[in-house]
Amino acid sequence: MISALTIFFLYFFVKEKKIYIFLYFYHLTFIVIFYNFIILKGGDFLFYINKSEAVFGLGVESLLGFIFVLKKFMPVYEINLLFNLFSFIAIILFYEILKKLGLSNLLALSLCLLPSMHFFTSSIGKDGLIILALMLIVYYTINNNSIFDKKNLLFILLGLLIILLIRPHIFLIISALYCV
C-alpha cells in the first residue's frame, strides 16, 4: 500500500517524475538485496523486529519503541516499506541539494545512484532515519537562505529531533555547529 501511494504521488504531483520514479524503483530493489543479505549473514534488522518493546529512551531504545508501536498497526513488510520511504525521501532531498549546489542533473543523479546509500538505508534501521534527518537539516538550511522561516525551522527542528532520539552524540555536535 505504501509503495502504491508513493508511486501515485510521484506520478501525479512531482515535476521530475521520471527521475524520481526511477530512483524509487532503484531504491526498492535494494530491499530484496538487503533481505537476502540478512537471511545469509544476519544483521540488525532481525534484532529490531524481534526485540522491539514498549520502551522510551535515546538511541536504540527510541527506535525499538517506534517499531513496537508500528507493529501494532501494520505488518512487518509495511514497516519495512515505510522505512524505505523515509530513506527514499532523504535521497530525493540529497538530489535536490546537489542541484542547488550547482551540479548538473546527470552528476547529481549519478551520486544518488551510489549502491551503499541505497543498501544500508533500504530497510528498518537507524541509518535511513539519520540520513533523512541530516538531509532535512541541510536542505532546509540552504533552502531560502532563511532558517527562521517557519516552514524551514519546523523541518530543521524535526531533523534535529530525529537525530536526538537516535544518535544523541551526533545531535550535540550538530547543535554546537548551529550555535557557532
Side-chain angles (χ1 to χ4, degrees), residues 52-54 65-76 79:
S52 60
E53 53 188 30
F66 182 57
I67 293 170
F68 176 79
V69 171
L70 288 176
K71 281 173 58 176
K72 298 288 183 193
F73 299 104
M74 56 179 54
V76 173
I79 297 171

Side-chain angles (χ1 to χ4, degrees), residues 7-97:
I7 293 168
F8 176 81
F9 177 79
L10 291 174
Y11 186 77
F12 289 107
F13 298 106
V14 175
K15 241 191 295 186
E16 297 185 53
K17 64 181 79 181
K18 289 180 182 177
I19 292 174
Y20 287 2
I21 290 174
F22 168 74
L23 276 173
Y24 186 65
F25 281 115
Y26 181 74
H27 192 62
L28 274 178
T29 60
F30 281 89
I31 284 182
V32 177
I33 297 168
F34 188 82
Y35 184 72
N36 287 329
F37 178 81
I38 290 298
I39 288 178
L40 294 174
K41 307 278 185 185
D44 291 345
F45 171 81
L46 300 172
F47 173 76
Y48 295 141
I49 294 301
N50 295 328
K51 301 292 183 190
S52 60
E53 53 188 30
V55 294
F56 182 77
L58 297 178
V60 175
E61 291 85 14
S62 63
L63 184 62
L64 292 175
F66 182 57
I67 293 170
F68 176 79
V69 171
L70 288 176
K71 281 173 58 176
K72 298 288 183 193
F73 299 104
M74 56 179 54
V76 173
Y77 72 88
E78 284 286 334
I79 297 171
N80 204 9
L81 287 172
L82 182 65
F83 274 77
N84 185 273
L85 177 63
F86 292 155
S87 59
F88 171 69
I89 293 169
I91 290 167
I92 293 300
L93 289 174
F94 181 59
Y95 175 74
E96 292 297 327
I97 290 166

Side-chain angles (χ1 to χ4, degrees), residues 52-176:
S52 60
E53 53 188 30
V55 294
F56 182 77
L58 297 178
V60 175
E61 291 85 14
S62 63
L63 184 62
L64 292 175
F66 182 57
I67 293 170
F68 176 79
V69 171
L70 288 176
K71 281 173 58 176
K72 298 288 183 193
F73 299 104
M74 56 179 54
V76 173
Y77 72 88
E78 284 286 334
I79 297 171
N80 204 9
L81 287 172
L82 182 65
F83 274 77
N84 185 273
L85 177 63
F86 292 155
S87 59
F88 171 69
I89 293 169
I91 290 167
I92 293 300
L93 289 174
F94 181 59
Y95 175 74
E96 292 297 327
I97 290 166
L98 293 174
K99 287 186 357 187
K100 279 184 185 261
L101 294 175
L103 273 67
S104 69
N105 286 351
L106 182 62
L107 184 56
L109 182 62
S110 299
L111 290 173
C112 288
L113 292 176
L114 293 172
S116 61
M117 180 183 288
H118 295 274
F119 180 77
F120 292 109
T121 64
S122 67
S123 186
I124 296 172
K126 298 177 282 194
D127 302 324
L129 291 175
I130 290 296
I131 297 255
L132 173 63
L134 290 172
M135 291 303 120
L136 283 171
I137 292 168
V138 172
Y139 180 79
Y140 286 100
T141 299
I142 66 172
N143 192 21
N144 291 329
N145 296 330
S146 171
I147 63 169
F148 300 110
D149 179 30
K150 287 182 183 180
K151 178 183 152 191
N152 291 352
L153 189 59
L154 177 71
F155 283 111
I156 291 170
L157 291 176
L158 175 64
L160 288 171
L161 178 65
I162 292 169
I163 292 174
L164 172 65
L165 290 174
I166 296 174
R167 300 252 189 232
H169 59 285
I170 303 294
F171 171 79
L172 292 174
I173 294 168
I174 292 175
S175 306

